[in-house]
Amino acid sequence: MAVTSVDIHVTDEPALAEHARDFAAELKESLPKDFVFGTATSAYQIEGAVREDGRSESIWDRFCAVPGAVFNGDSGEIACDHYHRYPEDIAIIQAMGLRAYRFSIAWPRIIPNGDGVVNERGLDFYDRLVDSLLHVGVQPYVTLFHWDLPQALQDRGGWYSRDTAVVFGDYARVVVDRLGDRVRHWITHNEPWCSSWLGHGYGVHAPGLKDGDAGAVKAAHHILLSHGYAMEAIRAAAPEADAGITIDLYPMFPLHDSEADRGAARRADGQRNRWFLDPVLRGSYPEDMTALLELLPDSAQDDLPRIGAPIDFLGVNYYERQVIRSGPHGEPLQAPKEGPWADNGREIFPDGLRVTVKRLHEDYPIKKLYVTENGIGYHDVIGPDGRIHDSHRTQFLEQHLRAVAAACREDAPVSGYFAWSLMDNFEWSKGYDERERYGLVYVDRSSLERIPKSSGEWYGEVVRSFRS
Ligand code: IFM
């Protein structure tokens, strides 16, 4: 359990530290006492070591090799080399004072063929990771699928095949059997809209299929079904577990307060949000989404009880809102937003997080929510003093935590917040584009040296002060 030590400098910046302490005092007035503050990552974005210890090829390894698929031809081959440097990364988490860390498991490390033979060396890595986290008092929140499907399964149809849903349940069982004595919090999937629509509809994520809504709906259904199988596996292997799914949600604002724009925003919400929320939380697909309903596999109706079985919490990833106007046939079209903007082109709209959480609380029977991701990409640079003064990110975190506090005052059951991301990492089709640095910790792309940013130091001080 060799955990190295790391310096967190916030006390060198008295104004920042004082601001963090004042802000923590403000949060205490609205957030529950046991509110969980953490940070998040995913396997392919940070681990590297793609050919080590029996890991097989994933669909992202394959996709990154396609010319033009990923910015600059980048890949997760080395990423942040977390596979080897995890003791240092855990030391950073510890130094920040965080007591929760969300990471994902790479399926190709555990069952290289997708089903069948289990790779003990893959499990051993996550064993070491979990033990090292617990050793320093950090609770693991484990995601079972954050997009790195074994290529062997893709070769047999991937998420177009119902069998992939079944074997996801087997994979979940293997992982929970091994780690479930120490890991209490489980997330089956991360952002199923991205896996289905970006990967199978638009082809901008792995596996790069451009099959439109037909492909996306089929993939999404099997992903949701696999969530159901995984929940059953978790319940069987670890009855005390706290388990759910993470969905990326976008509040849809009509451009004008007209019937046409309101209707278009409702349809956009149906495709982007309710298409996932309704089956998981109500056991049904949204009835108004008639064109999508026609694309569902024949088995869909029979699968819904399994998909809609109770979960313990919903994970919410929030990044930005969408503004929607109606097209000539009532179709939803994206309308220009107002800003302000981050370097990576995302609009910063903190109240959208409050609106999202409040809406979930009002529309769905949810007992507990975690904000499992929230963050922003900037082109951060090392200053002359060797530090990264990313006050824009500090402000972003402050505004969004304030939105969570406001939602809690409106009785929304938010139990935790995980900043995306612990460190700068591989941002999927955007690769290592400098504008896509999401970390609380800067990662030098050549040396892979980690340098905590001032936002990370500020966040740590907020968390420590909140507890004191
Ligand atoms: O980096 C991603 C993450 O993998 C999923 N949610 C959004 C993040 C930022 O784009």
Side-chain angles (χ1 to χ4, degrees), residues 169 173 188 226-238 305-307 309:
R173 180 71 196 238
T188 55
S226 79
H227 153 78
Y229 278 115
M231 284 300 299
E232 286 171 12
I234 296 168
R235 299 278 187 238
R306 174 165 272 126
I307 296 171

Side-chain angles (χ1 to χ4, degrees), residues 233-424:
I234 296 168
R235 299 278 187 238
E240 302 300 316
D242 187 40
I245 184 171
T246 280
I247 302 182
D248 52 326
L249 296 169
Y250 288 74
M252 302 294 174
F253 289 83
L255 178 63
H256 298 113
D257 190 20
S258 63
E259 206 179 311
D261 285 0
R262 279 198 307 273
R266 173 88 186 145
R267 279 185 284 285
D269 178 59
Q271 193 245 292
R272 186 80 210 229
N273 302 323
R274 288 183 289 123
W275 194 255
F276 297 92
L277 292 170
D278 281 20
V280 170
L281 297 166
R282 293 198 177 128
S284 59
Y285 279 105
E287 277 174 15
D288 57 323
M289 302 307 295
T290 45
L292 296 186
L293 289 171
E294 284 172 13
L295 301 171
L296 281 167
D298 293 342
S299 66
Q301 213 45 42
D302 297 338
D303 294 335
L304 279 164
R306 174 165 272 126
I307 296 171
I311 54 175
D312 302 312
F313 66 84
L314 181 72
V316 176
N317 288 359
Y318 174 74
Y319 285 90
E320 58 183 332
R321 67 168 173 167
Q322 287 185 8
V323 179
I324 301 294
R325 69 182 173 87
S326 170
H329 308 289
E331 70 278 21
L333 300 176
Q334 300 227 18
K337 304 185 208 175
E338 289 160 13
W341 312 96
D343 287 352
N344 69 348
R346 279 188 150 162
E347 189 196 28
I348 299 167
F349 193 76
D351 196 47
L353 179 53
R354 182 192 63 82
V355 168
T356 298
V357 166
K358 184 167 186 259
R359 174 270 175 98
L360 289 169
H361 175 52
E362 286 170 357
D363 292 358
Y364 294 94
I366 297 175
K367 289 185 288 234
K368 185 161 64 166
L369 294 168
Y370 291 105
V371 177
T372 38
E373 283 182 30
N374 175 233
I376 196 70
Y378 279 102
H379 183 171
D380 299 312
V381 289
I382 305 179
D385 59 355
R387 315 257 305 263
I388 296 101
H389 299 277
D390 58 336
S391 51
H392 38 264
R393 184 170 290 99
T394 303
Q395 192 182 22
F396 177 96
L397 294 172
E398 179 182 349
Q399 291 171 335
H400 286 78
L401 280 166
R402 214 166 249 141
V404 172
C408 285
R409 286 197 298 279
E410 293 170 339
D411 293 330
V414 191
S415 295
Y417 174 92
F418 292 75
W420 184 269
S421 177
L422 171 62
M423 56 189 150
D424 297 337

Side-chain angles (χ1 to χ4, degrees), residues 45 146-147 190-191 317 319 346 373 420 427-428 438:
Q45 293 180 273
H146 198 126
W147 308 352
N190 183 70
E191 302 184 353
N317 288 359
Y319 285 90
R346 279 188 150 162
E373 283 182 30
W420 184 269
E427 180 53 21
W428 307 111
Y438 274 86

